Amino acid sequence: MVQRTSNAEVMSMDLSPKKPAKAYASDGGAYYDWSPADLPMLGAASIGAAKLHLSAGGLALPSYSDSAKIAYVLQGAGACGLVLPEAAKEKVIPVKEGDTLALPFGAVTWWHNAEGASAELVVLFLGDTSTGHVPGRFTNFQLTGAAGIFTGFSTEFVARAWDLDHDAAAKIVSTQPGSGIVKIAAGHRMPEPRAEDRQGVVLNCLEAPLDVDIPGGGRVVVLNTANLPPVKDVGLGSDLVRIDGKSMCSPGFSCDSAYQVTYIVRGGGRVQVVGIDGTRVLETRAEAGCLFIVPRFFVVSKIADDTGMEWFSIITTPNPIFSHLAGRTSVCKAISPEVLETAFNTTPEMEKMFRSKRLDSEIFFAPN
């Protein structure tokens, strides 16, 4: 059973956006992650967050995780090898900026940036660690390399498992000195990505139909079981939101007991979060590369800087539902005038004026 964090603990937590720390690196790239020690809401929400950076020719060795994840390609293009549980064949998926993949429990993956690539391949991972070894942090299991699974078995067990003689078994598990990320030898040929392997596994958020499009305000693509069915197995929904310069995202909350985990992709802006008893628990500026988490039922709003703001979020339910407190379709517009008049302790004229605003806009508000 997952232990709930008390209201007092949540209200006292540091919710400010944080950048990740480098976990390990090689000449092939680096792996970064966020720690619950630095961002306590990761542990409270049982959410893991990490980033993979692969330089040209970099390979993230085959591994699996103790957590289901959403992967989002932040930059570059490359290949993702994917072996799903009980699958007889590997998928070799061409990936590019904007791609989203749902990686269920037991999925084995490798990632590769081509030798001649002009840019790093950067992938964001967000996922549920509630059944993992460390709440708030991914535990990855490498199949090969210096920290690989088979280096832990005795030579006898390796030889028996793979039907090798003793010398071959000893050699095969000791010839890869790298750990986690390596650089491919010059001229080594890797499997060719297959476009057909994207089918039903990948959704590109930069090319998908918009779920919300407010001229001068912002745009949203929502990922759920309808457009990316594997998210059902992962148990997470996600979205990509882009708002224009000086635009505002309406105050709102997840009304299905979900946490919102937000990574700022580009730009930046101001963020306010209001929690229990009307207490403002966060007022800060968020910038590209930062991550923050909004507790369950807390209300969040953002205002972009001059250059706009783009963020990718996961929500801890596969088909999230949000309630907004301002705009044409807001909760406040639905409440009876007489109730609002009393609730705000105001005059009928003031309530009427309040209700007359934002009749032609919803969710995102362009600057006046």
Side-chain angles (χ1 to χ4, degrees), residues 8-50:
E9 288 174 315
V10 172
M11 290 293 289
S12 64
M13 280 184 182
D14 177 11
L15 302 182
S16 58
K18 298 291 194 304
K19 291 190 175 182
K22 184 183 292 184
Y24 56 84
S26 74
D27 56 352
Y31 180 84
Y32 300 79
D33 69 355
W34 283 265
S35 166
D38 298 325
L39 192 58
M41 275 305 302
L42 288 172
S46 290
I47 293 294

Side-chain angles (χ1 to χ4, degrees), residues 113-181:
N113 194 13
E115 185 178 356
S118 59
E120 277 193 324
L121 174 64
V122 182
V123 185
L124 174 71
F125 300 99
L126 301 172
D128 177 13
T129 66
S130 59
T131 59
H133 287 276
V134 181
R137 204 164 200 171
F138 298 131
T139 301
N140 298 319
F141 295 82
Q142 307 293 330
L143 297 189
T144 63
I149 294 294
F150 280 95
T151 62
F153 282 102
S154 67
T155 304
E156 176 193 359
F157 271 60
V158 173
R160 186 75 178 272
W162 288 344
D163 192 22
L164 299 172
D165 63 43
H166 183 279
D167 290 342
K171 184 176 182 180
I172 198 167
V173 298
S174 62
T175 51
Q176 174 52 273
S179 180
I181 298 172

Side-chain angles (χ1 to χ4, degrees), residues 3-361:
Q3 185 175 358
R4 292 286 190 190
T5 305
S6 71
N7 289 347
E9 288 174 315
V10 172
M11 290 293 289
S12 64
M13 280 184 182
D14 177 11
L15 302 182
S16 58
K18 298 291 194 304
K19 291 190 175 182
K22 184 183 292 184
Y24 56 84
S26 74
D27 56 352
Y31 180 84
Y32 300 79
D33 69 355
W34 283 265
S35 166
D38 298 325
L39 192 58
M41 275 305 302
L42 288 172
S46 290
I47 293 294
K51 278 203 304 181
L52 173 68
H53 289 240
L54 290 179
S55 57
L59 172 69
L61 295 172
S63 67
Y64 63 93
S65 177
D66 66 349
S67 306
K69 303 175 183 177
I70 296 288
Y72 180 70
V73 181
L74 294 166
Q75 175 185 302
C80 171
L82 172 63
V83 182
L84 293 169
E86 300 184 340
K89 185 180 178 183
E90 171 191 67
K91 294 180 181 290
V92 183
I93 304 165
V95 295
K96 60 183 179 179
E97 182 178 339
D99 279 351
T100 307
L101 298 84
L103 305 175
F105 284 111
V108 174
T109 60
W110 53 261
W111 298 81
H112 177 236
N113 194 13
E115 185 178 356
S118 59
E120 277 193 324
L121 174 64
V122 182
V123 185
L124 174 71
F125 300 99
L126 301 172
D128 177 13
T129 66
S130 59
T131 59
H133 287 276
V134 181
R137 204 164 200 171
F138 298 131
T139 301
N140 298 319
F141 295 82
Q142 307 293 330
L143 297 189
T144 63
I149 294 294
F150 280 95
T151 62
F153 282 102
S154 67
T155 304
E156 176 193 359
F157 271 60
V158 173
R160 186 75 178 272
W162 288 344
D163 192 22
L164 299 172
D165 63 43
H166 183 279
D167 290 342
K171 184 176 182 180
I172 198 167
V173 298
S174 62
T175 51
Q176 174 52 273
S179 180
I181 298 172
V182 299
K183 189 154 187 160
I184 297 293
H188 180 76
R189 293 191 63 181
M190 291 291 288
E192 286 293 328
R194 300 181 289 264
E196 59 269 25
D197 284 350
R198 290 175 60 88
Q199 186 66 35
V201 179
V202 181
L203 181 74
N204 189 280
C205 292
L206 301 178
E207 299 173 353
L210 296 172
D211 293 282
V212 176
D213 185 7
I214 309 296
R219 294 150 295 285
V220 183
V221 172
V222 178
L223 288 84
N224 52 35
T225 56
N227 55 13
L228 191 62
V231 302
K232 180 180 180 181
D233 299 323
V234 175
L236 302 167
S238 58
D239 57 26
L240 178 70
V241 181
R242 289 166 284 172
I243 61 175
D244 298 324
K246 298 295 186 181
S247 290
M248 180 182 195
C249 182
S250 169
F253 64 95
S254 170
C255 54
D256 43 14
S257 192
Y259 292 93
Q260 300 175 60
V261 185
T262 299
Y263 175 84
I264 308 300
V265 178
R266 289 183 183 83
R270 295 164 54 203
V271 179
Q272 290 189 0
V273 177
V274 175
I276 300 166
D277 294 330
T279 302
R280 189 186 309 150
V281 292
L282 180 65
E283 180 169 12
T284 189
R285 186 183 181 279
E287 60 183 25
C290 288
L291 182 92
F292 68 97
I293 300 175
V294 179
R296 298 176 305 121
F297 300 109
F298 283 32
V299 178
V300 60
S301 184
K302 310 175 187 76
I303 298 178
D305 290 341
D306 292 343
T307 57
M309 192 176 185
E310 178 178 338
W311 65 86
F312 183 83
S313 296
I314 64 164
I315 303 92
T316 56
T317 179
N319 294 296
I321 302 172
F322 288 95
S323 286
H324 291 276
L325 303 183
R328 181 173 59 85
T329 58
S330 71
V331 172
C332 291
K333 287 288 193 289
I335 294 176
S336 303
E338 297 83 359
V339 174
L340 273 188
E341 182 183 328
T342 302
F344 281 122
N345 190 27
T346 189
T347 63
E349 293 75 21
M350 181 63 73
E351 191 285 328
K352 187 175 181 180
M353 184 272 291
F354 174 81
R355 186 176 295 275
S356 70
K357 302 297 184 179
R358 298 291 185 204
L359 295 177
D360 57 352
S361 56

